[in-house]
Amino acid sequence: MMLLNTRKTSLALALTLVLGWVAPPALGQDYKEPPLFADLLQDKKLPPIAERLPKTPIVVNSSGQYGGDIVTLVPRPRDIRYISTFTYTRLVGYDTNLDLQPDILEKLENEDDRVFTFTLRAGHRWSDGSPFTAEDFRYYWEDVAQNADLSPAGPPEFMLVDGQPPRFEVIDERTIRYSWDKPNPRFLPQLAGPLDPGIYRASAYLKQFHAKYADKAGLEEKAKQQKLKSWSALHNRLDDMKEQTNPALPTLMPWRVMNAAPANRFIFERNPYYHRVDAQGHQLPYVNRIVMDVSASGLFAAKANAGEEDLLFRGLSMGDIPVLKEGEKAKGYKTLLWPYARGTELALYPNLNTVDPIWRQLNRDVRFRRALSLGIDRKTLNNALLFGLGTEGNNTIVAESPLFMPELRTVHATYDPAQASRLLDEIGLTQRNGAGIRLLPDGRELEIIVETDGESSLVVDGLTLIGEFWREIGVRLFVKPQDRTVLRNRSYAGLTVMVAAPGLDNAIPTAIMPPTELAPMRQDNYTWPKWGQHVETKGRNGEAVDISEAQRLLESYTTWMNTGDREIQRTAWREMLQNHAENQWTIGTIAGALQPIVVRNGLQGLPAKALYSWEPTAMLGIYRLDEIYWNKAAGKEARR
């Protein structure tokens, strides 16, 4: 696996060597126009393709044909935003080997993770035809990120090192530079993440809504007409690269949204200025439109089974596989089954910051956490929930990661109820009631209320089984499903004792990816919400980390942060993974669920098997949806 080294690196060279991409057709003479634009070209409302592409487009090693639509589903209008994840257009992005490569950028130079110089593609344009230049980066940095009205919290945290922002320079129209005095190894991985942090903006469009460039009084009146409080609220509403609610906002993605809510169907149409082509001169994407219909999530599997969708993945789970397989032959689709690469499908998060003093003391006792882990029969869970196909053990990374250590999967994670009981006795939990349930020091039953957002039937079903296992060691489990927002707020306030949720989002890390999930520095981690709040607010709120083993996690993370040396980062990662297995900060159960992906017959380009995850694969993102195509495009337009 080829990774960025610690010296000055040209990723443009790496791109050519790793992917074997070829030179574009000479002077654009062999470019082939998408038929969709025929009328616009004839009416001269759109320039010819050679003028729409950058002078050095990315040339991909694929071979498809133009045409057709892809129909899919979203459970609510707001979820159209996930197109920016799975169509995965980034300044730099991961390839299928999880190596970082330039994408929107033509070239990137990295000096020891301290100085990053970006070179843009000459002639690259936004979807409305306006030039994409260094001004779009300057506008974001000076007029958005550092404008107190638009960004009250200031620049994003990943752009600060020891609280200090980078030095930002515009070298010329196509070149910008970010410099820090110390390494900022988070910078590139954050740019390649499933949520694009968007450190550039469509400045030509947005300046008309910025008080620095337009009449402030006029903007305030426009805001008032839309029932908004200020010009800044108006700007922020229209500046929605993530939400996809403003069809007028230019994009660099392969498809652009064409309509806004309220609607039951959203149309994303091909971007005439997209920066990728194939070796035959076709401008990507091959498919003309992505059509998203709004439907109740409970109907997703049934609609796929009825043959109504062309491509469907988000919203489907392993439990849907029997229904999906049933309809394949009759309805003309196939169900791909990709391993879901996350730490565990069901993790238990004992809240070390809970306000209840008895539970706080218990949750902080490593013997208690280990006892609960040893009291889980993971083999039975695997058979019941994952058809016996899963991997049993801790919440840790998977074998496909170069950082994987197989021994960590089973540390304190085998089924040993006798040892679990001995540990609970050792803690002093020896008193029981008539039903055999142990008693807390204050006389209450040892009943663990496990809270969950209730969105995953696997989690709820798994907790029911764990309750049976724990009863054998004298522990009662009560499941409390609730709304996710309510759950998070309860966790942040220290009101939860234990939470059940999926494990590590990124279970296939490489050394260059930040080990943030493993350190007590994020409020949204249910094990240490107040510790995370303390770190996120720089000590203003929350609680300081006061367990030495957890402090060691922060020290290892600091080691990772303060170097551009990949070997040192690799060592820091492994120390943190070992720390987690030994201390059972989260209690893992079973990993390796399969993600069903419904693909209509004739839709080509996705691998038969690959890893699926939120991070770093951006769901299907790194497998390039812009390269999928219909083998016979005729008749593949969306049903009207």
Side-chain angles (χ1 to χ4, degrees):
M1 190 172 288
M2 187 174 177
L3 302 176
L4 297 177
N5 62 36
T6 60
R7 300 300 172 199
K8 190 170 181 178
T9 303
S10 171
L11 282 179
L13 176 61
L15 187 68
T16 305
L17 294 176
V18 174
L19 299 184
W21 288 351
V22 296
L27 302 176
Q29 62 186 11
D30 295 320
Y31 289 133
K32 298 175 175 62
E33 287 282 4
L36 181 70
F37 297 144
D39 290 344
L40 292 174
L41 289 163
Q42 185 173 339
D43 296 339
K44 300 193 183 310
K45 294 180 179 178
L46 194 69
I49 187 170
E51 296 176 23
R52 300 198 308 269
L53 288 167
K55 289 183 179 177
T56 55
I58 285 183
V59 185
V60 303
N61 189 22
S62 66
S63 180
Q65 54 185 301
Y66 286 137
D69 302 341
I70 292 175
V71 179
T72 189
L73 296 173
V74 288
R76 53 184 180 168
R78 191 182 179 199
D79 285 6
I80 66 173
R81 60 188 168 154
Y82 288 103
I83 193 170
S84 64
T85 294
F86 59 75
T87 59
Y88 198 60
T89 307
R90 300 290 185 270
L91 294 172
V92 292
Y94 295 112
D95 62 17
T96 54
N97 294 319
L98 298 183
D99 293 326
L100 281 173
Q101 308 290 358
D103 179 5
I104 293 171
L105 298 180
E106 179 176 8
K107 187 173 66 171
L108 161 65
E109 293 177 353
N110 172 11
E111 298 177 36
D112 296 324
D113 284 348
R114 292 183 305 101
V115 181
F116 301 87
T117 304
F118 294 171
T119 302
L120 308 183
R121 299 176 187 278
H124 197 169
R125 296 180 179 274
W126 292 90
S127 57
D128 66 349
S130 59
F132 174 59
T133 68
E135 172 62 11
D136 297 316
F137 290 79
R138 187 213 60 79
Y139 178 79
Y140 166 73
W141 183 246
E142 296 181 1
D143 298 328
V144 177
Q146 299 189 86
N147 182 293
D149 293 323
L150 295 175
S151 305
E157 198 267 338
F158 80 94
M159 295 188 76
L160 306 179
V161 175
D162 290 343
Q164 297 302 308
R167 290 179 296 279
F168 172 77
E169 303 170 74
V170 173
I171 309 301
D172 57 40
E173 188 181 56
R174 293 177 49 214
T175 314
I176 55 261
R177 180 173 295 144
Y178 299 87
S179 308
W180 288 269
D181 292 331
K182 293 182 178 180
N184 185 5
R186 291 184 301 172
F187 187 50
L188 295 183
Q190 192 81 25
L191 298 182
L195 295 179
D196 189 346
I199 64 169
Y200 55 89
R201 289 294 196 273
S203 60
Y205 170 79
L206 288 170
K207 282 179 181 177
Q208 61 186 318
F209 306 107
H210 197 299
K212 179 179 175 181
Y213 302 96
D215 176 59
K216 185 175 181 180
L219 292 177
E220 297 287 2
E221 181 59 31
K222 284 182 182 178
K224 186 177 179 181
Q225 291 170 4
Q226 295 193 31
K227 298 182 180 179
L228 298 171
K229 291 183 178 180
S230 64
W231 74 267
S232 56
L234 175 67
H235 185 285
N236 284 343
R237 172 176 285 186
L238 297 173
D239 175 21
D240 73 335
M241 286 173 66
K242 295 183 179 70
E243 297 296 318
Q244 304 296 312
T245 60
N246 179 10
L249 181 70
T251 184
L252 299 177
M253 295 198 316
W255 295 274
R256 51 184 176 153
V257 68
M258 304 302 289
N259 64 307
N264 290 319
R265 166 170 282 198
F266 293 88
I267 309 293
F268 288 80
E269 192 169 277
R270 65 181 307 123
N271 173 2
Y273 296 89
Y274 191 55
H275 65 290
R276 289 171 162 251
V277 298
D278 70 13
Q280 291 73 44
H282 296 97
Q283 182 188 29
L284 299 183
Y286 292 121
V287 171
N288 288 331
R289 300 178 190 88
I290 291 183
V291 179
M292 298 186 180
D293 290 328
V294 180
S295 174
S297 57
L299 298 177
F300 277 26
K303 284 180 170 288
N305 170 276
E308 296 180 14
E309 312 310 321
D310 298 321
L311 179 66
L312 192 59
F313 48 96
R314 188 174 176 272
L316 297 177
S317 66
M318 196 165 178
D320 296 320
I321 292 174
V323 171
L324 297 173
K325 284 292 185 181
E326 195 177 86
E328 283 185 334
K329 189 171 291 186
K331 297 301 181 178
Y333 66 87
K334 57 183 175 291
T335 308
L336 306 179
L337 301 176
W338 290 9
Y340 203 130
R342 58 183 166 204
T344 187
E345 295 303 311
L346 164 55
L348 295 162
Y349 295 80
N351 189 349
L352 307 179
N353 307 142
T354 187
V355 294
D356 185 306
I358 300 294
W359 281 112
R360 187 184 185 94
Q361 184 177 352
L362 269 182
N363 282 345
R364 286 169 170 241
D365 192 323
V366 69
R367 295 171 297 177
F368 182 64
R369 301 193 300 270
R370 288 173 180 171
L372 296 182
S373 178
L374 293 167
I376 298 174
D377 182 353
R378 291 171 174 83
K379 184 173 184 180
T380 297
L381 276 181
N382 190 3
N383 290 332
L385 303 177
L386 299 184
F387 311 115
L389 301 174
T391 302
E392 300 149 19
N394 283 317
N395 178 25
T396 190
I397 62 177
V398 300
E400 288 81 358
S401 168
L403 303 171
F404 178 66
M405 292 178 282
E407 66 275 12
L408 297 188
R409 182 63 73 176
T410 54
V411 174
H412 307 298
T414 55
Y415 184 43
D416 191 344
Q419 175 63 6
S421 289
R422 283 193 291 272
L423 287 171
L424 294 175
D425 289 343
E426 186 181 312
I427 292 169
L429 299 170
T430 55
Q431 299 298 311
R432 300 186 185 231
N433 65 13
I437 300 301
R438 295 172 188 269
L439 300 179
L440 295 172
D442 62 1
R444 287 179 292 170
E445 286 187 346
L446 205 172
E447 179 182 67
I448 304 177
I449 298 174
V450 181
E451 305 186 35
T452 178
D453 63 20
E455 293 182 7
S456 168
S457 60
L458 182 148
V459 168
V460 175
D461 293 344
L463 289 175
T464 302
L465 286 170
I466 292 172
E468 296 299 317
F469 308 145
W470 280 358
R471 186 178 291 274
E472 294 181 34
I473 60 173
V475 177
R476 192 192 302 276
L477 186 156
F478 179 80
V479 184
K480 184 180 179 182
Q482 62 203 275
D483 177 79
R484 180 182 294 182
T485 301
V486 173
L487 174 62
R488 285 183 172 172
N489 288 336
R490 283 180 53 77
S491 171
Y492 301 161
L495 299 177
T496 58
V497 169
M498 190 171 292
V499 171
L504 293 172
D505 272 332
N506 184 0
I508 43 174
T510 62
I512 65 171
M513 299 177 190
T516 315
E517 283 189 275
L518 300 178
M521 55 188 299
R522 281 172 38 175
Q523 181 181 234
D524 62 2
N525 186 303
Y526 294 120
T527 291
W528 39 54
K530 289 181 181 289
W531 288 349
Q533 188 182 63
H534 190 266
V535 173
E536 287 183 335
T537 62
K538 298 177 176 61
R540 293 190 300 273
N541 299 304
E543 301 174 6
V545 178
D546 57 353
I547 295 178
S548 59
E549 293 84 355
Q551 289 170 337
R552 179 61 191 155
L553 288 172
L554 284 176
E555 292 166 5
S556 295
Y557 182 82
T558 301
T559 298
W560 184 93
M561 269 292 296
N562 288 337
T563 183
D565 187 315
R566 301 299 175 230
E567 195 53 48
I568 295 174
Q569 290 178 330
R570 194 171 290 113
T571 299
W573 256 104
R574 289 190 164 130
E575 286 178 356
M576 295 174 79
L577 290 167
Q578 288 172 327
N579 185 313
H580 267 257
E582 282 295 330
N583 287 285
Q584 294 291 307
W585 303 116
T586 62
I587 300 168
T589 55
I590 48 174
L594 297 175
Q595 173 63 44
I597 301 169
V598 171
V599 183
R600 185 179 296 283
N601 293 346
L603 191 59
Q604 307 288 308
L606 281 178
K609 181 156 284 189
L611 288 177
Y612 182 94
S613 67
W614 171 251
E615 186 178 5
T617 71
M619 295 187 274
L620 306 185
I622 68 169
Y623 306 105
R624 307 303 321 185
L625 252 63
D626 55 355
E627 295 182 37
I628 67 174
Y629 62 94
W630 292 105
N631 60 2
K632 293 182 180 177
K636 296 300 184 183
E637 283 69 35
R639 297 169 296 285
R640 302 297 176 188

